[in-house]
Amino acid sequence: SRQPRNYGEIVFSIVYIIFGMLFGSSLISSVAAMLVDFQMVTRDQNEKLRTLRKYLRQNGVPPSLSLKIQKQIVERIFADTRLSHQDVPVLALLSTKLRANLSYEIYAPRLMSEPVFLMCDGVDDLLLGDICSSDTVMTQSVGP
C-alpha cells in the first residue's frame, strides 16, 4: 500500500476520503428513502386489497365474481391516471396571466380539433384563450 509522502498528499487523501464518505452516505440515504416510500405505497395498496377481500367474503360474493372484481381493482390501482390542475395545488400560486398561458397550451390543441372552436378562433383571436382559461374547461375532462 502506498502512503502519502508530503503534506499535499495527506490533505488530498483526507479530502478524498471525506468526499467518498459523504457521497456514499448520500447514496445510501437516497436508496433507503426510496425503499421506505415504495414500502409505504405497497403497504397502503395491500391494505386496500385486504379490506376489499374481507368485504367480498363477508357479503358472500361468489369466488368467480370476487376474482373479477379484485382483478379490475388491481388494474385500476396500478393504472397511471392523468393529473388534472386540481391535483397540483401549487398551480394556484401562479399569476393569472401565467396560469392562462398554461391553460391555453394544455387545452387549445384539443379544442382546435373541433370545427366549432376552429371557427371561433378565426372570428376572434382572444376567444379561444378566454375559453381555455375559464373554470369550466379546467374542471371538465377534455378528451385526449
Side-chain angles (χ1 to χ4, degrees):
S1 155
R2 185 165 184 243
Q3 295 186 7
R5 297 182 188 258
N6 60 37
Y7 182 73
E9 289 180 358
I10 292 172
V11 170
F12 176 77
S13 296
I14 292 171
V15 169
Y16 190 72
I17 289 171
I18 291 173
F19 176 74
M21 288 174 56
L22 289 174
F23 178 75
S25 62
S26 295
L27 182 65
I28 290 170
S29 175
S30 296
V31 170
M34 287 189 309
L35 288 173
V36 167
D37 186 46
F38 176 74
Q39 185 180 29
M40 288 175 60
V41 168
T42 304
R43 182 180 298 142
D44 182 52
Q45 291 169 346
N46 287 337
E47 183 61 35
K48 288 177 182 177
L49 291 173
R50 192 174 11 259
T51 304
L52 173 65
R53 284 192 295 273
K54 183 177 180 180
Y55 172 80
L56 295 172
R57 191 174 50 253
Q58 285 179 350
N59 289 289
V61 177
S64 59
L65 179 59
S66 177
L67 202 58
K68 288 178 185 177
I69 291 170
Q70 290 178 55
K71 183 179 177 186
Q72 187 177 78
I73 294 295
V74 167
E75 287 173 0
R76 292 188 178 180
I77 284 176
F78 291 109
D80 190 20
T81 57
R82 186 175 182 90
L83 296 175
S84 74
H85 77 282
Q86 295 161 332
D87 299 322
V88 188
V90 295
L91 291 177
L93 302 174
L94 291 175
S95 68
T96 306
K97 182 176 172 72
L98 200 51
R99 199 174 1 199
N101 288 345
L102 176 63
S103 296
Y104 183 83
E105 289 299 321
I106 292 171
Y107 299 112
R110 291 184 233 165
L111 293 176
M112 292 297 281
S113 65
E114 300 294 328
V116 69
F117 291 111
L118 275 171
M119 188 173 67
C120 288
D121 192 48
V123 173
D124 184 357
D125 292 337
L126 301 176
L127 181 61
L128 192 59
D130 291 342
I131 291 172
C132 288
S133 62
S134 75
D135 285 337
T136 305
V137 171
M138 293 178 81
T139 56
Q140 299 298 314
S141 175
V142 179

